[in-house]
Amino acid sequence: MISIYEYVILSLVLLVIGIYGLSTSRNAVRMLMSVEIILNAANINLIVFTAFFYPEVYYGWVFVTFMIALAAAEAAIGLAIFLALYHIYGTAELDLIHKLREEKVGGLVE
Amino acid sequence: MMIPYLYELSFYLIAGISILSAILVVHLKKLMHSAMFLGVLLVTVGELYLLLGAEFLGVIQILVYAGGVTVVMLFALMLAPHYTNEPQQLNPFRNIAIALLIISLSALYLMVLSGQEAAPPTPSATALTDYASLLFSTYLSAVGILILLLISVMMSSAYLSERRRKKI
């Protein structure tokens, strides 16, 4: 029998993979994909707790609807920003884009 | 014919495919392949929604996420030629993605076929109307804010993606 634990463990594993990808990737688009993985892990949790504990009221479904819409909006605006960055700098690797960084970190800038 | 543990086996198959495709999204070198496996992951998560009784959200997940967000990401990658103009060799990743998708969909079919009642109590017949009335009465103001947000996102992404005059 599949209980709530399996679903929560699956969600936990997806969350950990998403955090790992978010913290190790340098490319902006891959970071956006990792954020999508994290949001999906949270959505699984909401759906599972609604299905197991509140089978008559659907607050979890409402929040998942909002999260899907917000994630779509976030993907659209993020990809537009990264595409503009790519057109300006020729790359979307975020550690190569250091226009705003000081020349000598910690030192005075002439 | 009842095969024991068919339901559990199918669930673990779907969960394993979603975890495997998440790992591939993080680890694959080319971004096109990552976007492809992100699509597989989103479809398997939508299958889990279907299993948990949220049919509407499962369909929305597959339509909006796997159909919309993945395609937007692929378009953005195609507009950045740095990531796509490498020579196209014969890659096995597309076939792997299609195979994972087919396996997970047939696992979902097996779960339905196994006849076992789902572990959580199945939602009532009026689940969708209850959900809709909750969404459009209690959370009506949030829906309005969401509409404004989507309109502003549309306008601002159109503004951001216009051609810049000169390089900074």
Side-chain angles (χ1 to χ4, degrees):
Chain A
M1 202 64 178
I2 302 296
S3 65
I4 191 168
Y5 295 107
E6 281 84 357
Y7 286 103
V8 174
I9 287 171
L10 170 68
S11 158
L12 178 68
V13 171
L14 285 182
L15 174 73
V16 169
I17 293 171
I19 290 175
Y20 169 73
L22 190 63
S23 57
T24 58
S25 67
R26 300 182 308 168
N27 193 288
V29 183
R30 199 185 295 275
M31 289 173 81
L32 205 60
M33 289 178 191
S34 305
V35 171
E36 301 286 342
I37 295 175
I38 294 174
L39 287 177
N40 271 288
N43 282 350
I44 290 175
N45 258 352
L46 282 171
I47 295 279
V48 166
F49 286 122
T50 299
F52 276 90
F53 293 140
Y54 300 100
E56 294 303 319
V57 287
Y58 301 104
Y59 293 117
W61 293 14
V62 172
F63 283 113
V64 169
T65 313
F66 289 150
M67 279 174 72
I68 287 175
L70 285 177
E74 170 241 341
I77 202 82
L79 286 170
I81 289 173
F82 296 148
L83 214 56
L85 271 183
Y86 178 80
H87 281 306
I88 291 172
Y89 291 102
T91 182
E93 309 282 324
L94 288 184
D95 56 348
L96 297 179
I97 299 171
H98 43 72
K99 196 83 181 170
L100 294 180
R101 191 186 293 169
E102 295 177 353
E103 290 297 320
K104 285 188 283 186
V105 176
L108 284 176
V109 180
E110 279 95 289
Chain B
M1 183 181 68
M2 278 293 289
I3 305 171
Y5 299 116
L6 187 60
Y7 188 86
E8 284 82 359
L9 200 69
S10 311
F11 171 79
Y12 284 122
L13 207 57
I14 292 178
I17 285 174
S18 67
I19 290 172
L20 177 70
S21 49
I23 291 173
L24 286 175
V25 166
V26 172
H27 265 290
L28 281 184
K29 212 166 188 61
K30 289 172 92 177
L31 281 172
M32 295 294 273
H33 301 159
S34 291
M36 224 157 51
F37 283 102
L38 185 69
V40 176
L41 168 72
L42 296 174
V43 170
T44 50
V45 172
E47 289 172 15
L48 289 180
Y49 292 176
L50 290 178
L51 286 176
L52 286 166
E55 290 95 359
F56 177 71
L57 282 175
V59 171
I60 287 296
Q61 166 95 4
I62 291 174
L63 279 181
V64 174
Y65 251 126
V69 174
T70 313
V71 170
V72 167
M73 280 190 179
L74 285 176
F75 268 125
L77 288 177
M78 282 178 193
L79 288 175
H82 175 72
Y83 295 110
T84 48
N85 65 0
E86 289 132 2
Q88 291 287 326
Q89 68 268 26
L90 195 64
N91 55 12
F93 290 111
R94 190 188 59 182
N95 296 335
I96 292 174
I98 293 172
L100 286 182
L101 208 58
I102 290 174
I103 290 171
S104 71
L105 284 172
S106 40
L108 180 71
Y109 182 66
L110 280 181
M111 283 178 95
V112 176
L113 204 67
S114 72
Q116 186 174 344
E117 272 296 307
T122 50
S124 60
T126 61
L128 201 55
T129 52
D130 290 347
Y131 158 72
S133 63
L134 185 68
L135 185 64
F136 288 113
S137 62
T138 313
Y139 291 99
L140 187 60
S141 55
V143 172
I145 293 171
L146 198 65
I147 291 167
L148 290 180
L149 176 99
L150 287 176
I151 291 173
S152 64
V153 160
M154 197 171 67
M155 290 193 306
S156 57
S157 60
Y159 169 72
L160 278 172
S161 59
E162 74 174 349
R163 186 57 64 101
R164 295 292 182 278
R165 293 249 165 65
K166 68 183 183 68
K167 279 178 177 282
I168 295 174

